[in-house]
Amino acid sequence: MTSTSEIAEALRFRAGDKVADIDPEGTPGFRGSKSDGAAAQSDRSARLAELQEMLYANWKAAEDSRSVLLVLQGMDAAGKGGIVKHVVGAVNPMGVRYTAFGKPTPEELEHDFLWRIRRALPPPGHIGVFDRSHYEDVLIVRVHNLVPPEVWGPRYDEINAFERELVDGGTTLVKVAMFISLEEQKKQLLERLDDPTKYWKYNPGDVDERSKWPQYQEAYQAVLDRTSTDYAPWHVVPCNRRWYSRLAVTELLIRALESFDLSYPAADFDIAAERKRLLSS
Ligand code: AMP
Ligand code: MG
């Protein structure tokens, strides 16, 4: 099978990297074809499922309080839903806490922008999945001037402080910035119009957002420049080829979980004695 070991490292955002230079068609760190990717995906999904089970098991049996938080950010049709369905869908839902962040409700707007985020954090032993996130508050909010610059400007530092707090509390962040091209987005949105089973994914407002593409590129650049820290780095994932982006996010999750050095928890009871008791029961 084609090696996937270089993908995670190849995707890490490095100071000075430019959004304008991202090739959304690219497959960084992977030299194989789509069918090589599919073969690797099934193998690596199984590995991810195993690691997630160990994370959960260690919390259940040994009070290991660590967790992972996957943050998915990307323009409409970048494939966030596909990552949730295919990558996160490969693990046991028992250990997943999924939250999609849309336009804030009136109640959410009464609070600080991190209020709804804190309420959605993964419990110990779980993988949290943010389908959009606190970064919307410096993306759509910045592009549309939903609040003045005096309010969104300080949010980069506030986000860094918040993420530092999460990491110190035992949560490993896997931040994924998903990039498709403007052309590919058009193709994906057209598919939604051509297929009655996809109308539910279509939002007329997505077409208006396309005219703001350069402003979004600029806002994404600021996010990467200002919030990619050594404790919570960003990964830039090209998403025109969905088979690649799914494999890439799988690799990023695997790497985060492997850093926990997990194994199945040992029995905290006398196995032989329990066997005897059970057999005679
Ligand atoms: P979707 O993910 O396609 O269901 O769309 C959710 C919409 O909610 C997107 O247009 C987001 O940009 C928008 N959204 C998410 N968070 C915020 C926020 N904090 N303020 C304003 N709009 C937001
Ligand atoms: Mg949408």
Side-chain angles (χ1 to χ4, degrees):
M1 199 198 349
T2 316
S3 169
T4 56
S5 61
E6 287 166 26
I7 293 179
E9 203 43 44
L11 296 175
R12 191 182 170 119
F13 174 81
R14 290 182 172 75
D17 286 352
K18 295 293 168 220
V19 165
D21 296 335
I22 297 167
D23 173 12
E25 290 283 342
T27 62
F30 190 75
R31 275 173 292 277
S33 63
K34 180 175 178 174
S35 66
D36 296 326
Q41 183 70 64
S42 91
D43 185 66
R44 301 303 278 161
S45 289
R47 174 65 177 152
L48 176 60
E50 175 187 51
L51 286 162
Q52 183 241 2
E53 185 170 80
M54 287 195 279
L55 176 71
Y56 193 83
N58 277 281
W59 164 63
K60 271 286 197 190
E63 287 167 32
D64 186 334
S65 66
R66 291 175 295 180
S67 60
V68 170
L69 176 58
L70 174 66
V71 174
L72 299 173
Q73 273 299 153
M75 299 296 288
D76 275 293
K80 298 184 291 296
I83 297 291
V84 174
K85 183 172 173 179
H86 298 282
V87 178
V88 181
V91 310
N92 191 333
M94 190 166 69
V96 173
R97 172 102 199 263
Y98 168 82
T99 311
F101 292 99
K103 202 169 168 290
T105 63
E107 187 192 19
E108 287 168 350
L109 282 174
E110 279 173 23
H111 297 84
D112 173 79
F113 76 104
L114 293 173
W115 181 75
R116 64 176 185 166
I117 304 296
R118 289 183 187 278
R119 290 157 56 100
L121 291 170
H126 287 64
I127 297 179
V129 179
F130 282 3
D131 180 341
R132 304 186 188 271
S133 66
H134 41 302
Y135 286 99
E136 291 290 325
D137 292 278
V138 285
L139 288 165
I140 189 169
V141 168
R142 168 176 164 149
V143 168
H144 286 271
N145 298 308
L146 299 181
V147 298
E150 306 85 80
V151 177
W152 61 254
R155 285 183 176 167
Y156 300 95
D157 292 339
E158 288 163 29
I159 287 172
N160 288 337
F162 168 63
E163 293 184 352
R164 175 84 252 179
E165 198 187 303
L166 296 187
V167 171
D168 290 345
T171 301
T172 294
L173 280 92
V174 178
K175 301 196 294 191
V176 178
M178 301 174 64
F179 288 90
I180 49 164
S181 61
L182 193 56
E183 262 316 293
E184 180 64 21
Q185 189 197 44
K186 184 184 276 182
K187 198 179 131 216
Q188 293 290 337
L189 293 178
L190 275 172
E191 275 178 25
R192 294 179 182 182
L193 290 179
D194 289 340
D195 180 350
T197 70
K198 291 188 177 172
Y199 294 163
W200 65 277
K201 295 191 198 183
Y202 189 83
N203 173 4
D206 296 348
V207 180
D208 304 313
E209 293 302 273
R210 286 172 58 76
S211 66
K212 304 239 183 252
W213 198 265
Q215 289 94 317
Y216 270 106
Q217 297 285 98
E218 206 178 301
Y220 269 95
Q221 184 71 56
V223 161
L224 296 172
D225 289 340
R226 301 199 51 191
T227 64
S228 200
T229 55
D230 55 348
Y231 53 88
W234 274 104
H235 295 88
V236 170
V237 177
C239 290
N240 276 20
R241 299 175 203 251
R242 272 138 153 75
W243 64 264
Y244 172 79
S245 50
R246 290 168 192 172
L247 185 59
V249 177
T250 305
E251 287 306 321
L252 292 169
L253 286 171
I254 288 174
R255 198 178 56 164
L257 286 163
E258 283 186 338
S259 76
F260 288 178
D261 210 8
L262 294 161
S263 54
Y264 281 102
D268 58 358
F269 44 82
D270 182 334
I271 301 168
E274 286 303 311
R275 189 186 313 279
K276 225 183 249 168
R277 248 165 40 81
L278 186 57
L279 287 173
S280 62
S281 69

